[in-house]
Amino acid sequence: MIRLSGITPSGPVQLGNYLGAVRRWAAEGTEEDVYFIGDLHAMTTSHNPSRLRALTREQVAVLIAAGVDPRSVAVQSDLVRELGALTWLLECTCTYGEAARMIQFKEKSEGRASVRLSLLTYPVLMAADILLQGAREVPVGDDQAQHVELARVLARRFNGTYGEVFVMPQGIVPTAAARVRDLADPSRKMAKSSPDSAGTVFVLDPPDLVRRKIRRAVTDDLGVVRYAPDTQPGVANLLEILGACTAKDPRELADSLSGYAELKEATAEAVVEELRGVRERTQALLDDPAELDRVRAHGAERSRERSTHRLEAALRVSGLG
């Protein structure tokens, strides 16, 4: 059974990405799964081509350094011809109303005089990502569940109109992971593309910078270490990060810590140790571009072998083959 997950190179991989997804992919993934770098998705807003290229390579390296099976890693744009063809077929299956009511499109376009058409249509590209690979399961959070449902709608409509081609995907809720919040503003999630990097720990940050960011993390003026996400979100965030890095319950950790300074020091050291090996292995891969190119080419070929027959069938039954 194929399971598909993706990460978008809108910024460097950060601690929330690693603890919430990448580490789980390494632990639970099989060689049948697909973990793709969604560089095409990163183009729905203004981007710098050189930076996009560098971030894409960095994310490939981080996934492999974290222990994700290299055979399962692919870069979205390496299948741009196949995805472009299938996206067009699916756009001819999707209605404007279905695309326009996607919550992320509404949120990201609100108040803007002009938005790229790709912001409207990228959920159809996401459907093509899923359907091209024949994924049966797509782990998603609440912000992407609507897009998986659109993929199901389009697969059902295409199959019903032209003939059975696509596997019906199912969105699934991934196993619980740390809810990593921004260190400077715990009311929001830690994000790759945050305008203020002071609250974001990146996987490739050097240890001293990691420590400095965590020592400056926002807490409160209560002075009591306890796990209370609603009333002490900053403290709870540090406890969750510490718990995720040490495999301990945040509530139990709270009972063992005497103050905020001790909490921050313990969290900083735990994060530094958690990321140390990944950072070092990532840098070694980035210093070996030939190996990265080999892994990327192999991932593209494997994805192409798995999907070519499906694309050819879709083109044929829709009258283009």
Side-chain angles (χ1 to χ4, degrees):
M1 179 180 64
I2 299 171
R3 180 177 297 191
L4 180 142
S5 297
I7 184 170
T8 302
S10 54
V13 181
Q14 41 89 1
L15 182 64
N17 303 138
Y18 173 75
L19 294 177
V22 175
R23 191 173 67 167
R24 186 182 72 250
W25 298 346
E28 302 176 0
T30 72
E31 64 178 80
E32 290 299 313
D33 295 337
V34 179
Y35 301 106
F36 74 94
I37 314 301
D39 51 347
L40 300 179
H41 291 314
M43 298 175 67
T44 58
T45 57
S46 179
H47 71 283
N48 178 286
S50 296
R51 186 169 188 268
L52 174 60
R53 189 176 297 112
L55 287 171
T56 298
R57 292 183 66 82
E58 179 183 304
Q59 289 195 356
V60 172
V62 168
L63 263 61
I64 297 168
V68 176
D69 191 329
R71 295 172 296 180
S72 299
V73 178
V75 175
Q76 190 183 30
S77 62
D78 287 342
L79 273 75
V80 67
R81 291 174 176 81
E82 292 85 352
L83 284 170
L86 183 54
T87 298
W88 177 249
L89 293 182
L90 295 178
E91 285 183 356
C92 292
T93 306
C94 185
T95 69
Y96 170 79
E98 287 169 332
R101 65 169 169 260
M102 295 291 107
I103 294 171
Q104 285 206 353
F105 172 71
K106 291 181 178 180
E107 291 178 346
K108 293 181 179 180
S109 62
E110 185 177 4
R112 297 172 61 180
S114 176
V115 296
R116 295 186 176 186
L117 182 59
S118 54
L119 190 62
L120 173 68
T121 60
Y122 99 88
V124 183
L125 172 59
M126 181 175 171
D129 293 325
I130 296 167
L131 300 180
L132 185 66
Q133 295 298 320
R136 291 189 179 275
E137 291 188 351
V138 185
V140 287
D142 293 338
D143 59 338
Q144 293 290 338
Q146 192 182 31
H147 294 167
V148 178
E149 185 55 37
L150 178 63
R152 289 173 54 83
V153 168
L154 298 183
R156 186 181 301 112
R157 185 177 300 152
F158 190 98
N159 288 347
T161 303
Y162 302 112
E164 292 290 327
V165 173
F166 299 119
V167 172
M168 191 64 64
Q170 180 69 48
I172 61 171
V173 178
T175 53
R179 299 174 299 172
V180 181
R181 317 299 294 182
D182 190 287
L183 296 174
D185 181 3
S187 67
R188 66 189 185 194
K189 291 195 303 182
M190 189 175 286
K192 297 190 296 292
S193 55
S194 173
D196 181 8
S197 63
T200 302
V201 173
F202 298 106
V203 169
L204 298 188
D205 279 347
D208 286 348
L209 181 56
V210 173
R211 294 186 181 98
R212 187 158 62 248
K213 288 180 177 180
I214 292 177
R215 286 169 183 159
R216 294 175 177 174
V218 169
T219 51
D220 51 53
D221 56 4
L222 298 179
V224 180
V225 180
R226 59 187 173 192
Y227 184 67
D230 293 336
T231 58
Q232 292 182 268
V235 174
N237 185 39
L238 292 173
L239 287 168
E240 288 208 349
I241 293 171
L242 179 58
C245 292
T246 60
K248 294 180 180 179
D249 184 88
R251 293 172 181 81
E252 295 178 3
L253 288 169
D255 294 336
S256 68
L257 296 164
S258 61
Y260 293 171
E262 185 181 4
L263 168 61
K264 290 181 178 182
E265 287 302 313
T267 303
E269 292 309 314
V271 171
V272 166
E273 288 308 310
E274 178 70 31
L275 297 180
R276 186 184 303 279
V278 178
R279 181 173 62 85
E280 292 173 353
R281 289 189 294 272
T282 298
Q283 192 57 58
L285 283 166
L286 291 173
D287 290 340
D288 188 358
E291 174 62 12
L292 266 186
D293 289 343
R294 186 195 67 79
V295 170
R296 181 168 171 172
H298 181 69
E301 184 59 30
R302 190 164 179 267
S303 294
R304 192 170 289 113
E305 288 174 354
R306 176 163 40 200
S307 60
T308 296
H309 71 284
R310 196 169 290 110
L311 175 60
E312 290 176 348
L315 290 168
R316 184 175 62 255
V317 299
S318 60
L320 299 179

